[in-house]
Amino acid sequence: MMRNLAILALLGPVLALAGCGENTGWNPNYSAMHNGSPYAEYLQAREVALHGKGPVPKVIPIALPAQAPTAAQIAGTAAKPRAQAAAQAAPAAATAPPVRAPAATQAATPSLVRYAQQETQAPGTRKYQRSGSSESAAARACRSYASADVAQSAFLAAGGPVIDPRGLDPDGDGFACGWDPRPLRQSGL
């Protein structure tokens, strides 16, 4: 009985702190303090101000996925007035194959596109500290995801790239399960 109470007394505060994971949610504004976003800069300035070593930030920036790319932007075609587009579409519809986005951008979500453009390091270049994960453990964990895009989204939702609780990024490059940001960087989305 006393042993159980001693264990609870030691582990209770640790478990309580673990439950306070503010920066591990789905919201891209809370992904990390060091991801280079305007919100990360605000968080850093706020921490400096809280310690009395700098001014209080005046504005809290937000990042909302409010401007998702249109189908025309994804396909790389310019927007046309409706009347002109309708006149050209009727004869061309029978002969022209459908325009498709590059395969790399078809499954990408706006948050993955934004992340690919925000992170400038090449895949395999260590940027984030990792400890305790191995390539073989990451390979096992990655097999549970349908694609590298799905794994990268889950990695970011779990607090990546700063933390890697699922062990999907053992090399610390910020890209989980072999996900490659270069096609999304070049897509112009």
Side-chain angles (χ1 to χ4, degrees), residues 3 9 11 20 27 57 61 76 78 81 86 95 105 113 119 125 128 155 158 168-169 174 178 185 187:
R3 180 176 170 217
L11 292 179
C20 296
N27 189 332
T95 59
T105 61
V113 173
E119 294 289 319
T125 304
Y128 301 98
F155 170 68
L168 301 175
D169 178 30
R185 290 176 186 160
S187 70

Side-chain angles (χ1 to χ4, degrees), residues 142-157:
C142 289
R143 283 194 288 266
S144 66
Y145 296 98
S147 69
D149 283 345
V150 173
Q152 183 68 23
S153 293
F155 170 68
L156 295 175

Side-chain angles (χ1 to χ4, degrees), residues 63-125:
L64 298 175
Q67 294 184 355
T70 64
Q73 290 170 327
I74 292 171
T77 58
K80 298 177 184 176
R82 286 187 183 184
Q84 180 185 5
Q88 291 177 351
T95 59
V99 177
R100 292 185 176 257
T105 61
Q106 286 180 347
T109 62
S111 62
L112 287 181
V113 173
R114 186 171 46 247
Y115 181 76
Q117 293 171 349
Q118 165 188 310
E119 294 289 319
T120 58
Q121 72 276 12
T125 304

Side-chain angles (χ1 to χ4, degrees), residues 37-105:
S37 70
Y39 193 78
E41 291 171 12
Y42 160 76
L43 287 176
Q44 292 169 2
R46 183 188 72 175
E47 288 299 313
V48 169
L50 288 172
H51 290 280
K53 296 180 180 176
V56 176
K58 301 290 183 215
V59 178
I60 301 173
I62 58 170
L64 298 175
Q67 294 184 355
T70 64
Q73 290 170 327
I74 292 171
T77 58
K80 298 177 184 176
R82 286 187 183 184
Q84 180 185 5
Q88 291 177 351
T95 59
V99 177
R100 292 185 176 257
T105 61

